[in-house]
Amino acid sequence: MDKFKIPYSMRGCLIEADDLAAVQNAMKAECLSGQGPYTLEFQRKFADYNDVPYAHTCSNGTIALEIAAWALDLKEGDEVLTSAISFVATALAPLKCGAVLKFIDIDPATMNMDPKKLEENITEKTKAIFLVHLAGQMCDMDPIMAVARKYNLKVVEDAAHAPGAAYKGKKAGTIGDIGTFSFHTWKNMTTLGEGGMIVCRDPQLSDRISRLKQFGSIHFPDKKVWECTDGELPFYLDFQKVGGYYGSNYRMSDVQAAMGISQLKKLDKANSKRREFAGMLTGGLKDIEGITVPYEHPDCYHVYHLYNIQFESEKLGVGKEALLRPLIEIYGIQCWIQYVPSYLFTIFKEKGHKPGECPVAEEVFRKKLISIPIGPTMTIGQADYIIKAINEIMGKIKKL
C-alpha cells in the first residue's frame, strides 16, 4: 500500500511556530556550533526539569549511551545486564566496549526488564545494568536499584522513550547513575531531527561525560592563557584519554539546542496529548476479547512513546498476522513491531547469543506484539477508526 489512511508518523513531537522562531533566532547568533549560549541554557533547563545537577547535550541518543559506557570505564570481559526488548542501541553501547552481555527477560505486562530475573544472572564480573524504559513507562526501579546497591553495580537508564515519565515522582533517567535521552524526530521531543542528552548526579561522572564529548579536553593545571614561552600560541587546553577511552566531537549544535529549549517548554503538553490519545484507544479496545491493552503500573506516569497491544494468539488459535495483515492491507493503518529481542540480531549472535535466552520476550515478540500508531497530533477520528478496524477484524477472527 503506497499511502496509509493512518500512517505511523516519524514526527513524534509537537513542532509549532515558536520552535521555528527559536531556530531562526539561533541562526542569527554568533555561535552556531556546540557549547554556545543556547547549549548552556538547554543543559541548565533540562537539568532543572529533571531535578538533577548535571545535564550534557550530545549529538544523538546512541552516542549518549556510548558515552555513558565509556564514562563508567567498561572494559573487555566486564559483564553487563540489559533489557531483552529494546532498540539495538541500548545493548550496542556496552558491546562496543568489549562487555559480555546478559539479556534479562521481561515482565510480560510492561515488557520492561523483570527485576526478579536480575540476581540469577549476576557474577563477580558483573559491572553494570543498562535498562530501557520501554514505550514511555519506567521500569520498576526500586527492586532494580536494590539489586544494584547489593552488588555494587552501576545503572544506566536509557530514557529515549521516556522524557517526562516518572516513577514514584522521580523523573526518568534520574534514579540510576546515568540517564540518557534521544531527541530523534520520532521521540516525544526533538532537536531538529537528532540530538541527545546525558544526565547524572555525580560530579566526577559529569566531568568524564563533558570531556568525552569534547575530545577528552582538559585545562592545563599549571598554565594560564597568558603564560607562553617564545613561539607558543596562547593555548590552555590539553587532550587526554578519559579512563580507557579517547574522546571525540559528539556535541550538539547551538541551533539544535535552541530547538530543544522550545521543545522542553511543551514536553508536558505533548505527553498529555499522547496520554489522551492512548486513553481513547484503551477505552475502546480493553473489552475486546483476545486483545490486551498496555498496562500502566500504578507507580508510573506513562508518556506513551509507543502504544503496544498484545494479540492473544494462543487463546484465539491463530497467529497475530490475522490481525496485523488486515490492519495494514485493508484498513490502511501502518503498524510496527517494536521491538525484536536484541540478541536475535547478527551482531549478538556472533557473540554466542541464541534464540531461547529470554522465552517471555520471544513469545511476546513473535506471537503477540503489535505497535499501533500514536503521537501528540493524532485525532479522536483516528482513534475511532483504529478501534473500529480492530473490532471488525477481531469479530471475523472469532468466527473462524
Side-chain angles (χ1 to χ4, degrees), residues 196-247:
M197 188 75 80
I198 311 163
V199 302
C200 67
R201 298 184 182 277
D202 185 308
Q204 290 185 321
L205 275 179
S206 177
D207 180 66
R208 291 180 193 173
I209 290 163
S210 179
R211 290 173 56 203
L212 281 162
K213 79 167 193 177
Q214 298 180 94
F215 305 100
S217 60
I218 188 170
H219 287 270
F220 279 113
D222 56 352
K223 272 199 175 185
K224 299 283 192 288
V225 67
W226 56 85
E227 293 176 349
C228 304
T229 58
D230 289 343
E232 281 189 348
L233 293 172
F235 201 73
Y236 55 99
L237 288 178
D238 192 14
F239 296 89
Q240 303 173 3
K241 291 175 76 172
V242 182
Y245 293 95
Y246 294 101

Side-chain angles (χ1 to χ4, degrees), residues 2 49 154 182 281 315 356:
D2 294 328
Y49 176 82
K154 298 298 184 183
S182 168
L281 291 179
K315 292 180 184 177

Side-chain angles (χ1 to χ4, degrees), residues 14-240:
L14 286 175
I15 298 180
E16 299 169 322
D18 56 338
D19 300 296
L20 303 180
V23 171
Q24 286 184 327
N25 289 336
M27 291 183 70
K28 298 172 186 176
E30 180 75 15
C31 178
L32 298 179
S33 59
Q35 295 307 104
Y38 288 103
T39 300
L40 299 177
E41 181 182 355
F42 184 30
Q43 290 176 159
R44 184 175 65 254
K45 288 186 172 178
F46 198 84
D48 289 345
Y49 176 82
N50 289 286
D51 193 25
V52 292
Y54 306 110
H56 301 275
T57 57
C58 61
S59 50
N60 57 64
T62 300
I63 281 296
L65 285 160
E66 293 187 14
I67 290 174
W70 301 332
L72 295 177
D73 206 20
L74 292 179
K75 295 182 173 64
E76 189 88 25
D78 288 344
E79 291 181 355
V80 173
L81 312 182
T82 191
S83 301
I85 290 186
S86 180
F87 185 63
V88 67
T90 313
L92 187 59
L95 180 72
K96 290 177 71 173
C97 295
V100 176
L101 295 175
K102 290 188 175 180
F103 290 91
I104 306 303
D105 214 342
I106 63 170
D107 176 337
T110 64
M111 290 186 276
N112 276 325
M113 176 184 285
D114 186 344
K116 298 189 294 294
K117 296 176 180 175
L118 280 171
E119 268 192 283
E120 65 195 57
N121 286 283
I122 293 173
T123 73
E124 61 183 14
K125 294 181 179 180
T126 308
K127 300 294 188 234
I129 300 170
F130 274 60
L131 58 84
V132 67
H133 300 309
L134 189 75
Q137 178 162 235
M138 289 180 66
C139 295
D140 193 359
M141 291 301 294
D142 280 355
I144 291 173
M145 294 306 298
V147 171
R149 285 190 289 267
K150 180 178 178 180
Y151 293 97
N152 195 29
L153 307 180
K154 298 298 184 183
V155 176
V156 174
E157 298 177 62
D158 180 350
H161 292 185
Y167 173 85
K168 297 184 177 180
K170 296 178 181 177
K171 291 283 177 61
T174 71
I175 298 175
D177 296 275
I178 299 176
T180 67
F181 296 83
S182 168
F183 304 132
H184 182 274
T185 182
W186 211 333
K187 299 302 191 289
N188 295 37
M189 61 176 285
T190 190
T191 49
L192 286 178
E194 288 285 1
M197 188 75 80
I198 311 163
V199 302
C200 67
R201 298 184 182 277
D202 185 308
Q204 290 185 321
L205 275 179
S206 177
D207 180 66
R208 291 180 193 173
I209 290 163
S210 179
R211 290 173 56 203
L212 281 162
K213 79 167 193 177
Q214 298 180 94
F215 305 100
S217 60
I218 188 170
H219 287 270
F220 279 113
D222 56 352
K223 272 199 175 185
K224 299 283 192 288
V225 67
W226 56 85
E227 293 176 349
C228 304
T229 58
D230 289 343
E232 281 189 348
L233 293 172
F235 201 73
Y236 55 99
L237 288 178
D238 192 14
F239 296 89
Q240 303 173 3

Side-chain angles (χ1 to χ4, degrees), residues 331-346:
Y331 290 88
I333 300 169
Q334 187 180 20
C335 300
W336 291 73
I337 309 296
Q338 297 180 101
Y339 294 97
V340 180
S342 294
Y343 59 85
L344 298 178
F345 293 123
T346 298

